[in-house]
Amino acid sequence: MKNFIIFLIAILSANLYSQNWLRVDSIFAVSGVTVQNFSAPEFADLNNDGNPDLILGNIADAADFFWNNSHDFPTTFTKDASVLANVYGGGQTNTNSDYPTLIDLDGDADLDLVIGGYNGLRYYENIGTITSPNFTAIDTIFTDVNSQIGSDAQPAFVDIDDDGDLDLFAGIGESLMGGPDPGITIGFRNTGTASAPIFTLDNSLVTGIPDIGLNSYPTFVDLDNDEDYDLVYGRDLQTLVYYRNTGSKQSPIWTQNSTTFSGLETTTYWKNPTFSDLDYDGDYDLIYGTDGGKLYVYRNIGTVTTPSFQYYPDYFKIVKLSGNSATVSLKDYDGDGDNDLLSGMWNGKFYYFRNDGTPSKPIFNQVTTSFSNLTVNSYSSPVFVDIDKDNDYDIVSGALNGQVFLFINDNGTFTQNTTMFSGIDVGWTSIPSFADLDGDGDLDLLVGGETGSESKYYTNDGTNIFTVNTTAFAGVTFPSYGRPTLADIDNDGDYDLIIGDNWGTVKYYRNDGDVRTPIWVRYDALFTGVEVDQGPHPGFADLDDDGRKDMILGEYNGNFTYYKNLFSPLTDIESENSLTTPNEFVLCQNYPNPFNPSTKISWQSSVAGWQTLKVYDVLGKEVVTLVDEEKPAGRYEVQFNASNLSSGVYIYTLKVNGVAYSKNMILLR
């Protein structure tokens, strides 16, 4: 009862909501590092603790900063938004393509920040300390440089002439706003000092470096340990381009080497390379970002003078779609007792991530062969649902054209059914969600649409004939590009409505009615503190086996984000009343349903009396007695574990003072 009281108090005070959800990046990012598309990594020891920290740019959003947690390999990282708070707060905006680098540009022994992008180069001086950075904008240092580099410039700083100060190189990726041709590298000699740089155009610094082509982003590193700087570029669908300095530190001669990186993958676009000693063995390892956001790590298994790079896939292992528009459906598809994940994507295909962990600790691994032959052409939004009630999961998906598609599962073979949902059309970008919203034992359908007014709700008559209902969601405002989900996240026995919108917020309508007659009351404050990017699609399931429904958000950028639920009541109300006495009797549909291996059965009684709750098989044979005792009027819930039973339909029957109420439930093993 104590937990339930705490929950009721919490919904009255927005000040308490910030603790309702705990983001845990390790579920989908083993290292703790999350990425955006077109990632641009840069390593530097920002707090002078001997560990390389990570600042991670991307093509269309603010850069992220991650502290390196230890001196171990592989290490973990912790995101810290406060480090760049001055950069992206207070009216500051990103550059729409943020390529960050950390370098001591004013000669005061701490690291400053320079960000390149479509708006040129911007400088943020570190006015903090060597262990506690504090960045503030200085807008004048690159005024002349920006007039000469045009758009989409990535900076690289190195003392190329060995005079004790840092010179500047700008790789030109694209020229969307005019300026130099893409693919070239522009050199600027520092004609000032180490503490007061003045960057003067001097392309003699890049003599011998050809036009690399689109997405020309340079990085300098002494890769052969000869005390001068070599030059490396990333390239689309190719290995890295490597120019070894065969001249001197003061007079570089750039000589192409085609063997050092010959073993790298050649399937990604927009390779953005950097180097750091990630394994603390005294040589440089290779890390590069890609168009899909994935960070590739290659350990140097050679020597400091003759590097040899070997792919290390697990360092920044991230569960992420390689394209846009991730969605979430969580069900135990493979019948092993934990929740698997099904997602859609902009290309219309279905992507399956099997949970190879446990019911309390998920580990999601993509299985590329599952559902690979299914498609809805574009912007799929599939959900697992047993629509034909044959004890396996079918797939229902939305699509860009606003229609709803059904694929019937017949022993693992999926066949499209073109008739059941043929009359459903919400215009554009349909997002389906199923729930028994009227308490009659079958699944009803809510479909979100591109235009909020086009979102529609369809009741199921019990035979899978769906009829539009215009009254059930009275008072609900569906946003444009709304991504709705129906789930009982407050554990009160009825379904609530959660909607992700196109701008990165999550809207919450709590059901203050009952399982037959929902009453929607908006409580957005429940999701205060949940930070996501564009277009989140929420999915809910108990992923840590604590009785609470946790949340996974599929995001438009292809990321999945996990939030642990900290607020749902955990009280065993089998023997306890709620704060108020109910005024009617309701036997709720078990949740989840179908289930494996356990489910919750809840009910409310307006009168005191002897109550029995029993489970029967379809032949009428009693399976188990869950309740058999005198109880006062109140609300109750019990857990039914069917781990010793086979798949099939079961009936649970509640008797109160001799009056019986029954519902069906489905066990899927």
Side-chain angles (χ1 to χ4, degrees):
M1 179 63 76
K2 180 181 178 182
N3 289 336
F4 190 61
I5 294 172
I6 291 173
F7 169 71
L8 290 180
I9 294 173
I11 63 176
L12 300 177
S13 174
N15 293 329
L16 300 180
Y17 277 112
S18 60
Q19 301 301 313
N20 283 331
W21 302 98
L22 174 66
R23 178 166 171 167
V24 183
D25 287 332
S26 61
I27 300 297
F28 293 103
V30 175
S31 65
V33 175
T34 55
V35 300
Q36 312 299 330
N37 293 344
F38 298 90
S39 52
E42 179 82 6
F43 289 88
D45 185 5
L46 189 57
N47 58 354
N48 203 38
D49 65 351
N51 299 319
D53 307 303
L54 170 64
I55 186 168
L56 187 59
N58 62 88
I59 197 170
D61 210 337
D64 292 317
F65 182 83
F66 302 86
W67 294 111
N68 189 329
N69 292 330
S70 70
H71 205 71
D72 301 321
F73 180 84
T75 192
T76 59
F77 293 80
T78 299
K79 185 176 179 179
D80 188 350
S82 68
V83 174
L84 303 178
N86 290 344
V87 177
Y88 296 107
Q92 296 288 336
T93 60
N94 59 28
T95 66
N96 191 20
S97 191
D98 278 10
Y99 312 124
T101 185
L102 290 163
I103 197 77
D104 182 13
L105 205 57
D106 56 5
D108 63 352
D110 58 30
L111 295 176
D112 309 297
L113 173 65
V114 179
I115 298 178
Y118 291 157
N119 294 337
L121 306 184
R122 295 193 300 176
Y123 173 53
Y124 299 87
E125 183 182 344
N126 185 355
I127 60 173
T129 67
I130 197 171
T131 59
S132 182
N134 182 13
F135 297 108
T136 187
I138 305 293
D139 294 329
T140 57
I141 189 171
F142 294 115
T143 301
D144 292 338
V145 170
N146 285 334
S147 68
Q148 300 172 83
I149 62 175
S151 61
D152 198 32
Q154 176 163 312
F157 295 91
V158 65
D159 185 8
I160 200 66
D161 52 8
D162 198 30
D163 65 350
D165 55 34
L166 293 171
D167 307 295
L168 166 65
F169 295 79
I172 309 301
E174 300 180 76
S175 290
L176 302 182
M177 300 163 59
D181 293 333
I184 70 171
T185 302
I186 303 174
F188 295 86
R189 192 183 300 273
N190 186 352
T191 57
T193 65
S195 59
I198 300 172
F199 296 108
T200 303
L201 181 65
D202 186 350
N203 277 321
S204 69
L205 299 176
V206 292
T207 299
I209 299 177
D211 188 333
I212 301 298
L214 190 67
N215 301 330
S216 166
Y217 302 126
T219 185
F220 289 87
V221 58
D222 184 8
L223 205 57
D224 52 7
N225 200 38
D226 63 353
E227 298 186 352
D228 58 33
Y229 291 103
D230 308 299
L231 179 59
V232 179
Y233 292 88
R235 288 293 293 118
D236 295 345
L237 301 177
Q238 299 178 37
T239 189
L240 301 184
V241 181
Y242 173 35
Y243 292 92
R244 182 170 174 256
N245 183 0
T246 57
S248 66
K249 193 172 184 179
Q250 297 80 12
S251 301
I253 299 174
W254 306 111
T255 303
Q256 188 169 358
N257 176 303
S258 60
T259 60
T260 300
F261 298 105
S262 60
L264 272 61
E265 59 82 26
T266 57
T267 61
T268 59
Y269 291 84
W270 205 83
K271 293 182 176 68
N272 202 311
T274 189
F275 293 86
S276 181
D277 185 10
L278 291 181
D279 53 7
Y280 303 98
D281 64 351
D283 54 34
Y284 286 109
D285 306 298
L286 165 67
I287 312 94
Y288 60 83
T290 59
D291 63 319
K294 181 178 179 179
L295 298 175
Y296 283 81
V297 175
Y298 288 82
R299 295 180 70 181
N300 185 355
I301 60 173
T303 67
V304 293
T305 59
T306 308
S308 177
F309 294 97
Q310 184 180 68
Y311 182 43
Y312 191 86
D314 293 329
Y315 193 93
F316 288 114
K317 184 179 179 181
I318 299 174
V319 177
K320 182 182 187 293
L321 293 183
S322 59
N324 293 337
S325 197
T327 63
V328 175
S329 178
L330 294 165
K331 296 291 185 182
D332 183 14
Y333 176 74
D334 58 3
D336 65 350
D338 51 38
N339 286 281
D340 309 298
L341 190 156
L342 181 67
S343 175
M345 199 169 80
W346 67 269
N347 64 5
K349 296 182 178 181
F350 306 152
Y351 293 83
Y352 174 58
F353 298 88
R354 186 182 63 216
N355 187 351
D356 292 330
T358 67
S360 60
K361 189 176 182 180
I363 301 173
F364 293 102
N365 291 312
Q366 185 175 0
V367 181
T368 57
T369 56
S370 299
F371 321 121
S372 59
N373 62 324
L374 305 182
T375 182
V376 296
N377 295 320
S378 57
Y379 287 94
S380 53
S381 54
V383 294
F384 283 128
V385 57
D386 185 14
I387 199 69
D388 56 3
K389 299 181 180 180
D390 64 348
N391 299 329
D392 59 24
Y393 285 114
D394 312 297
I395 295 177
V396 176
S397 178
L400 179 63
N401 65 6
Q403 298 175 8
V404 175
F405 296 80
L406 170 62
F407 300 88
I408 297 293
N409 183 358
D410 183 11
N411 294 320
T413 300
F414 288 84
T415 303
Q416 186 174 359
N417 177 304
T418 60
T419 59
M420 185 177 298
F421 299 114
S422 60
I424 295 178
D425 191 337
V426 297
W428 295 98
T429 318
S430 51
I431 307 283
S433 180
F434 288 88
D436 181 12
L437 207 58
D438 52 11
D440 63 354
D442 55 41
L443 295 173
D444 309 299
L445 172 63
L446 174 65
V447 186
E450 179 178 298
T451 303
S453 60
E454 290 291 330
S455 298
K456 296 179 181 179
Y457 170 63
Y458 300 84
T459 56
N460 187 346
D461 70 348
T463 66
N464 286 336
I465 295 177
F466 292 84
T467 303
V468 67
N469 180 307
T470 60
T471 61
F473 286 91
V476 174
T477 301
F478 288 93
S480 296
Y481 297 96
R483 295 161 174 83
T485 296
L486 292 161
D488 181 15
I489 63 171
D490 57 5
N491 283 353
D492 66 348
D494 54 37
Y495 287 95
D496 309 296
L497 173 64
I498 309 94
I499 311 172
D501 71 14
N502 200 48
W503 312 113
T505 60
V506 180
K507 306 181 186 302
Y508 172 51
Y509 289 87
R510 195 183 69 194
N511 185 355
D512 283 354
D514 53 42
V515 294
R516 294 193 186 96
T517 309
I519 299 173
W520 308 108
V521 181
R522 188 163 171 177
Y523 287 105
D524 286 356
L526 184 66
F527 290 87
T528 297
V530 174
E531 298 180 356
V532 294
D533 289 304
Q534 182 181 8
H537 179 261
F540 297 88
D542 183 6
L543 295 172
D544 53 7
D545 204 28
D546 67 351
R548 301 177 173 103
K549 295 175 184 65
D550 308 297
M551 176 173 63
I552 292 176
L553 294 170
E555 302 177 43
Y556 186 78
N557 57 24
N559 281 333
F560 298 101
T561 305
Y562 169 71
Y563 282 90
K564 176 179 170 61
N565 185 342
L566 302 180
F567 78 91
S568 287
L570 290 176
T571 179
D572 179 6
I573 57 175
E574 177 185 1
S575 60
E576 298 179 5
N577 295 325
S578 69
L579 293 180
T580 60
T581 301
N583 56 16
E584 64 174 338
F585 182 89
V586 175
L587 176 62
C588 302
Q589 186 66 47
N590 65 297
Y591 185 85
N593 188 47
F595 66 98
N596 179 22
S598 63
T599 189
K600 292 179 181 179
I601 301 172
S602 57
W603 70 97
Q604 63 182 44
S605 177
S606 58
V607 298
W610 197 271
Q611 300 186 13
T612 63
L613 178 63
K614 298 183 178 183
V615 179
Y616 302 87
D617 63 20
V618 292
L619 299 178
K621 180 181 178 180
E622 182 178 330
V623 174
V624 66
T625 297
L626 299 175
V627 176
D628 188 10
E629 61 183 297
E630 182 83 19
K631 288 181 174 292
R635 296 178 173 87
Y636 304 97
E637 180 181 278
V638 296
Q639 189 87 14
F640 172 48
N641 190 308
S643 57
N644 62 334
L645 301 176
S646 58
S647 297
V649 178
Y650 293 85
I651 301 98
Y652 58 98
T653 298
L654 178 70
K655 288 185 178 180
V656 180
N657 296 333
V659 180
Y661 307 83
S662 298
K663 285 185 178 292
N664 296 341
M665 58 183 172
I666 299 172
L667 171 63
L668 289 180
R669 302 300 302 274

